[in-house]
Amino acid sequence: MADKYGIPPGGNNGAWGVKYWKGNQYVLPWRELLASIALGGWPREHWGMAAAVAAAESSRKPFIYNTYKKGHFGLFQISRSAHPQYFNENVDGGMRWLAPWYNASMGYQIFKSQGWGAWEGKTNGAYLAYYPQAMTAAADLGKLTGLHGGDEKGYWQSLISKKTHAHLINALDGAAGLADLANSTVGGAVADGAAAAGQGVVDSGTAVAQAVGDSFGWMTDAWELLTTPAIWMRAAYGITGVALVAGGLFLIVRSTPGGKVAGTAVKSVRTAVTRPVKTVKTTVRSGP
């Protein structure tokens, strides 16, 4: 009897195909893909390449899987036959692969042991079609990373949209009870999305907002910079530093012999200039 993915016991050695969990072909925005990769533990220098490889493997569709052998799942197409530890039915129903940040974490663990050779999307050059966009997205995330008082994880989590959370909740419903996930990391990660969905925040307007965000994302970045306390603190430190240096130089110049001589010379010149003026004035006043 086939399992919930439609794969027979022992794996599928015959014809296989590509499927989407619950038919969901949602595409993860580039910015959220990069945030998920960062949350998954990937070092910053690998963000761009990891995003390009994930895009080549899954077209940025987190709920994609295939039925080859025992299946390959999610953004990084994690092999269930090679890495069964990530599909333990006793841990969140074996469905953690659906969460982009968990899938990225699985991918990073595989990368640490196998390198880029673990992904056909890298070895066959398919990643090159996505590389420019991936590197741009990685650079954009990098610009705003390190400005949040050490809470970069919190910042990356904030980039995962309510729309993505809502899709994840829908994907988990029926696959594993949300009640069973309530105290798990997955449950906590999607809690905000559940609240938003319950309040009707996630609606048809999200698509419009997403489109606007893609077109005017630079405005968000600018606002992020302007409203980041660390930026203003650094500016204040810089201005204060310049003022202190200028004041110090002034005091040093005044306290040195050269400075005192220069001051005396200035006073002498001022006296020499003003005295004749007074004499002229007196002569004029006492004339006929």
Side-chain angles (χ1 to χ4, degrees), residues 34 37 42 44-55 76 111 116 122 127-128 131 134-135 138:
L34 266 297
I37 287 170
W42 286 84
R44 187 167 177 169
E45 62 267 24
H46 293 315
W47 286 357
M49 182 61 78
V53 170
F76 283 86
F111 170 77
W116 295 117
K122 177 63 168 64
Y127 78 96
L128 291 171
Y131 189 73
M135 293 302 291

Side-chain angles (χ1 to χ4, degrees), residues 90-165:
N90 295 320
V91 180
D92 295 339
M95 302 304 294
R96 285 193 170 191
W97 67 269
L98 290 167
W101 44 92
Y102 267 126
N103 201 277
S105 177
M106 297 172 188
Y108 180 51
Q109 298 308 312
I110 294 170
F111 170 77
K112 288 196 294 184
S113 62
Q114 297 179 237
W116 295 117
W119 290 279
E120 186 176 340
K122 177 63 168 64
T123 59
N124 67 10
Y127 78 96
L128 291 171
Y130 305 94
Y131 189 73
Q133 286 178 288
M135 293 302 291
T136 297
D140 289 343
L141 181 62
K143 291 175 185 176
L144 296 176
T145 292
L147 305 176
H148 304 86
D151 186 22
E152 302 316 304
K153 183 176 179 180
Y155 168 62
W156 297 330
Q157 288 174 334
S158 74
L159 298 179
I160 306 300
S161 67
K162 291 181 173 65
K163 183 177 181 179
T164 295
H165 283 310

Side-chain angles (χ1 to χ4, degrees), residues 61-117:
K61 298 178 179 180
F63 309 125
I64 193 174
Y65 68 96
N66 67 42
T67 57
Y68 178 63
K69 293 187 177 180
K70 289 189 176 181
H72 299 74
F73 300 82
L75 291 172
F76 283 86
Q77 288 292 277
I78 309 300
S79 170
R80 187 165 55 150
S81 59
H83 308 283
Q85 69 273 24
Y86 298 131
F87 300 90
N88 187 343
E89 291 291 329
N90 295 320
V91 180
D92 295 339
M95 302 304 294
R96 285 193 170 191
W97 67 269
L98 290 167
W101 44 92
Y102 267 126
N103 201 277
S105 177
M106 297 172 188
Y108 180 51
Q109 298 308 312
I110 294 170
F111 170 77
K112 288 196 294 184
S113 62
Q114 297 179 237
W116 295 117

Side-chain angles (χ1 to χ4, degrees), residues 249-276:
L249 289 173
F250 176 74
L251 292 175
I252 291 172
V253 169
R254 288 198 60 182
S255 63
T256 59
K260 292 179 179 179
V261 170
T264 303
V266 170
K267 289 180 180 178
S268 299
V269 171
R270 184 174 62 188
T271 302
V273 170
T274 54
R275 282 179 177 173

